[in-house]
Amino acid sequence: MKPASPPLLGLRRSAAWLVSLLMACTLLPATAAQADNPIVQHIYTADPAPLVHNSRVYLYTGHDEDGSTYFTMKEWRVWSSADMVNWTDHGSPLNVATFSWAKADAWAGQVIARNGKFYWYVPVTAKSTNSMAIGVAVSDSPTGPFRDAIGRPLVGNGEIDPTVFVDDDGQAYLYWGNPNLWYVRLNADMISYSGSATKIPLTTAGFGTRNGNANRPTLYEEGPWVYKRNGLYYNVFAAECCSEFIAYSTAPGPTGPWTYRGTIMPRQGGSFTNHAGVIDFNGGSYFFYHNGALPGGGGFTRSVAVEKFSYNSNGTIPTINMTSSGAPQIGTLNPYGRQEAETIAWGSGIETEPASEGGMDVGYIENGDYIKVKGAAFGAGATSFAARVASAAGGGTLEVRLDSPTGTRVGACTVPGTGGWQNWQTVSCPVTGATGTHDLYLRFTGGSGYLFNVNWWQFQAGSGLAAAPAA
């Protein structure tokens, strides 16, 4: 990450609560990240909300600003993957300014698909009340752009962290809350609701017992994630600040009665908050969360990670611990199809930005930076490599390596100056020795300062250099 120093936003909760968080943070130092978890490395991300759509996982997150000393969050981000390890950065299709009635705090939300549209429910601070309210944005695409669906809060009572669930009978529910837990029954249009907000009873039988807090006797803290699996309703939530762990309850119906089932993810990971999202995808079950594992990470500079798990035979969820390896790859990646440069399993030193040719590009590249793409299946062998590049400087070299940043170099493309950071040109170079399946490393070398940007890349098999079409 190439950090900035953003201004602070308003306080999330009381000063006493913040002091307790800071004390907890000092007890949980960030650990060095390895392997493929966290799944995004070039910005800090938090509050994961996964959505399965058309054989891809779309992941919606918040964005902790670099150097934050509070929950300084101005936008939401979108990522997607078909294999759970190589994640494409789709940028920010929604931010606080999308809601003209809001002034701050792009905190934990969730997207759900219905009626051929995508609805994003988010908590923000409303200008008129100076307190938290739930807004709803809508898009025709899972990657946006999103627009304010109704021009006002959908519901607002000063509480946070919406989650949305559509039951088998078509009835949709919006849940949210800290310190309480609320729900409303959404109408079929997903932007209005019937009846009034209902408070779910927070009983110790339903949500566990918190010790030493008469005003808050249960473990429920915030961040509910409600879903249904094999006829059983699950409510996964952040428990007992601070620091938080992830716990869950189950029920025979969408509004209860809830029965506390125990801990999923114990306290760990260098962040005093946690926030879960759970999905089934391509025959596996996945648990998303956040921690403080990246360099500079902590309670206000968090990072989203994922683990694969299996439910117990009786439907209970096992204990899940954070790892640096993350989820295994599903299948392989096809290097002979055009791949966006911002599709990354692990990146070092790079940033992303909107590209003039559409989508995002990888930029702010300096000497020694690299991108890892996991599990590229070269088969009998690639013969050439092409990349779409731009440089307002003198360019550099794009090295193609296998299995590590210093692994076997199978190709090297010279990147010239193109006269601008968005003046795109396709470069090609021969490739020798890229056979079988390998982790692919694109390593960038050159002089001082920023070298060049990369929009996409593609290998070719057979004779001749790659002749990839211009974007």
Side-chain angles (χ1 to χ4, degrees):
M1 277 170 238
K2 298 177 172 77
S5 298
L8 294 179
L9 297 180
L11 291 178
R12 183 174 184 180
R13 303 191 186 120
S14 69
W17 185 88
L18 182 58
V19 169
S20 71
L21 291 188
L22 292 171
M23 291 175 64
C25 187
T26 64
L27 299 175
L28 292 168
T31 56
Q34 301 176 18
D36 300 315
N37 246 354
I39 59 178
V40 175
Q41 306 87 40
H42 56 277
I43 66 169
Y44 295 113
T45 55
D47 305 322
L51 170 71
V52 177
H53 178 72
N54 286 352
S55 301
R56 289 187 74 84
V57 174
Y58 291 87
L59 180 64
Y60 303 86
T61 73
H63 174 198
D64 287 342
E65 295 289 335
D66 291 2
S68 290
T69 56
Y70 190 64
F71 299 103
T72 308
M73 307 174 76
K74 304 174 183 179
E75 65 178 12
W76 295 270
R77 301 284 292 235
V78 184
W79 324 83
S80 73
S81 179
D83 63 9
M84 297 302 296
V85 296
N86 295 302
W87 291 89
T88 301
D89 184 347
H90 297 286
S92 173
L94 182 68
N95 58 55
V96 171
T98 303
F99 303 98
S100 62
W101 49 269
K103 68 175 188 177
D105 302 330
W107 290 351
Q110 185 183 353
V111 174
I112 195 162
R114 195 174 193 187
N115 307 323
K117 297 183 181 297
F118 300 84
Y119 299 89
W120 201 338
Y121 301 84
V122 294
V124 289
T125 297
K127 295 176 181 176
S128 60
T129 62
N130 198 36
S131 66
M132 298 303 297
I134 308 302
V136 56
V138 65
S139 176
D140 297 325
S141 164
T143 58
F146 284 80
R147 64 187 185 278
D148 187 351
I150 56 177
R152 56 177 172 78
L154 174 61
V155 64
N157 60 5
E159 301 194 36
I160 59 175
D161 292 356
T163 184
V164 185
F165 161 70
V166 180
D167 209 345
D168 297 337
D169 62 1
Q171 178 62 61
Y173 298 83
L174 170 69
Y175 308 79
W176 77 100
N178 177 347
N180 301 293
L181 179 57
W182 303 84
Y183 76 90
V184 294
R185 288 181 171 88
L186 293 172
N187 295 325
D189 63 10
M190 301 299 285
I191 58 174
S192 64
Y193 61 90
S194 299
S196 58
T198 301
K199 187 185 294 186
I200 293 176
L202 292 178
T203 65
T204 55
F207 295 92
T209 301
R210 184 186 307 223
N211 295 321
N213 190 333
N215 295 322
R216 203 160 183 177
T218 76
L219 293 172
Y220 176 82
E221 186 74 30
E222 60 185 349
W225 181 271
V226 178
Y227 64 100
K228 183 180 184 180
R229 186 178 184 276
N230 294 337
L232 187 64
Y233 296 80
Y234 292 76
N235 187 340
V236 177
F237 56 90
E240 195 179 34
C241 185
C242 281
S243 63
E244 294 174 343
F245 63 97
I246 302 296
Y248 78 112
S249 303
T250 62
T255 62
W258 297 96
T259 299
Y260 181 64
R261 297 299 183 187
T263 298
I264 300 175
M265 178 168 279
R267 292 181 173 97
Q268 55 192 275
S271 169
F272 46 77
T273 65
N274 203 345
H275 190 106
V278 185
I279 56 167
D280 287 339
F281 175 64
N282 201 21
S285 298
Y286 296 89
F287 183 89
F288 290 81
Y289 59 94
H290 68 228
N291 60 25
L294 287 181
F300 303 122
T301 44
R302 299 161 292 181
S303 296
V304 168
V306 65
E307 309 293 343
K308 187 177 183 181
F309 74 99
S310 296
Y311 289 85
N312 297 318
S313 59
N314 61 359
T316 58
I317 302 174
T319 301
I320 301 171
N321 289 300
M322 301 180 186
T323 73
S324 61
S325 56
Q329 185 172 12
I330 299 171
T332 55
L333 180 135
N334 176 18
Y336 301 111
R338 177 170 141 175
Q339 299 290 342
E340 295 299 313
E342 65 274 14
T343 298
I344 302 169
W346 192 268
S348 177
I350 58 93
E351 299 283 352
T352 61
E353 63 182 3
S356 63
E357 296 183 327
M360 304 286 284
D361 66 66
V362 171
Y364 302 94
I365 291 169
E366 296 175 286
N367 182 54
D369 292 349
Y370 67 85
I371 291 168
K372 170 187 174 182
V373 179
K374 193 168 185 178
F378 293 102
T383 57
S384 64
F385 173 83
R388 189 74 166 166
V389 297
S391 177
T397 302
L398 197 169
E399 298 181 346
V400 181
R401 293 181 178 268
L402 303 182
D403 301 322
S404 83
T406 57
T408 302
R409 193 173 88 164
V410 297
C413 290
T414 299
V415 177
T418 65
W421 295 115
Q422 295 293 316
N423 291 344
W424 296 100
Q425 178 178 324
T426 303
V427 297
S428 299
C429 52
V431 170
T432 303
T435 61
T437 298
H438 294 271
D439 292 345
L440 168 68
Y441 285 78
L442 303 181
R443 186 170 181 266
F444 313 115
T445 61
S448 61
Y450 297 135
L451 303 178
F452 53 88
N453 297 345
V454 185
N455 194 3
W456 52 256
W457 57 264
Q458 185 173 11
F459 286 85
Q460 181 174 317
S463 60
L465 291 177

